[in-house]
Amino acid sequence: MLLTILKRTDILALAALVALSTQATAQTATSSTSTHNHNHSHQAKEPVLVNEAEIQPRDLSDWEADWQSVYPFLQDGTLDPVMEHKAESGKKTAEDYRAYYETGYKTDVERILIDGSSVTFFRDGQPVQGQYTNDGYEILTYASGNQGVRFIFEKSGGDAAAPQFIQFSDHEIVPTKVDHYHLYWGDDRAKLLTEVTNWPTYFHAELTGAEIAADMMAH
């Protein structure tokens, strides 16, 4: 099992033992456990833990925008400089990093439009839309020992083909606008929480591939 779902008491006990690094993202929990951070290149000597006391509720307005998948840019070579940059200081070759992100970024949803409570998914230009309401958050603990938070929304209306649940992970635990996020979606809330290898990633639709690559290399 790649992650362990923890109870709030366990998380608070761990958080008291380890100095927390910044990670701000939040939501009043319906049930707390363990959350995102597929741990791409966010390595740390000490595990990055989440202080649940610092988590605050978040609304869909945090992600309200027109978003594009980065997967096409990985496929067409635009992100090759990013992989080479990672290889310069990492423990893998550029080819190994590319294979890792091929699994992570892979998706057939090339665009997501979030407007109010409406989330529209585009596959080959064809829209599927759902209305979503807040369903709390989950705190995940990964194999590395790091923790992260997923903010969860449940479908309340819209197209039958729209997923029942969407789960955002963006390295934040308080309300804030972000420049990118990882999104998980499906009809089984609990099963989605076990997905840690495929994390479709979205940046603002107006950015070029070169601009996205530059942003990635700056972090």
Side-chain angles (χ1 to χ4, degrees):
M1 193 69 169
L2 290 176
L3 54 83
T4 302
I5 297 183
L6 302 177
K7 296 181 180 178
R8 298 186 180 199
T9 53
D10 297 326
I11 297 166
L12 293 174
L14 283 173
L17 296 174
V18 183
L20 302 177
S21 68
T22 56
Q23 241 222 112
T25 342
Q27 203 154 2
T28 54
T30 50
S31 63
S32 74
T33 43
S34 322
T35 197
H36 162 85
N37 272 3
H38 44 72
N39 266 343
H40 35 234
S41 56
H42 301 283
Q43 299 298 323
K45 292 182 179 180
E46 295 292 338
V48 177
L49 301 184
V50 173
N51 183 351
E52 189 170 8
E54 296 178 354
I55 300 177
Q56 298 174 17
R58 297 179 72 183
D59 297 323
L60 271 176
S61 58
D62 274 7
W63 302 278
E64 191 167 27
D66 195 350
W67 303 91
Q68 63 178 321
S69 167
V70 300
Y71 185 51
F73 297 124
L74 181 69
Q75 290 181 301
D76 69 13
T78 302
L79 299 186
D80 284 354
V82 179
M83 305 302 124
E84 293 164 4
H85 177 72
K86 289 180 179 295
E88 290 174 0
S89 57
K91 296 181 179 179
K92 301 178 182 179
T93 66
E95 292 74 19
D96 288 338
Y97 278 112
R98 192 186 188 289
Y100 173 72
Y101 284 94
E102 168 70 26
T103 299
Y105 289 158
K106 189 173 185 178
T107 182
D108 61 355
V109 175
E110 74 271 9
R111 178 188 173 204
I112 296 177
L113 178 63
I114 301 175
D115 183 11
S117 64
S118 173
V119 179
T120 306
F121 300 82
F122 293 84
R123 290 182 174 87
D124 295 324
Q126 300 302 308
V128 171
Q129 182 268 345
Q131 300 289 323
Y132 291 87
T133 58
N134 195 309
D135 192 38
Y137 69 78
E138 300 290 344
I139 301 172
L140 304 186
T141 300
Y142 304 99
S144 65
N146 291 343
Q147 294 178 334
V149 180
R150 285 194 199 171
F151 292 92
I152 304 171
F153 296 83
E154 183 174 8
K155 185 171 71 173
S156 59
D159 298 331
Q164 188 63 30
F165 294 95
I166 55 176
Q167 301 180 356
F168 290 88
S169 179
D170 59 14
H171 318 292
E172 302 293 339
I173 59 171
V174 297
T176 186
K177 294 287 187 179
V178 295
D179 59 7
H180 79 282
Y181 61 86
H182 313 285
L183 191 67
Y184 307 77
W185 60 83
D187 295 330
D188 187 325
R189 188 184 192 276
K191 185 176 180 180
L192 277 179
L193 294 172
T194 68
E195 175 56 77
V196 293
T197 58
N198 175 231
W199 15 267
T201 301
Y202 294 85
F203 277 73
H204 288 286
E206 68 270 17
L207 296 177
T208 66
E211 288 171 332
I212 291 173
D215 182 87
M216 289 178 172
M217 288 188 286
H219 293 85

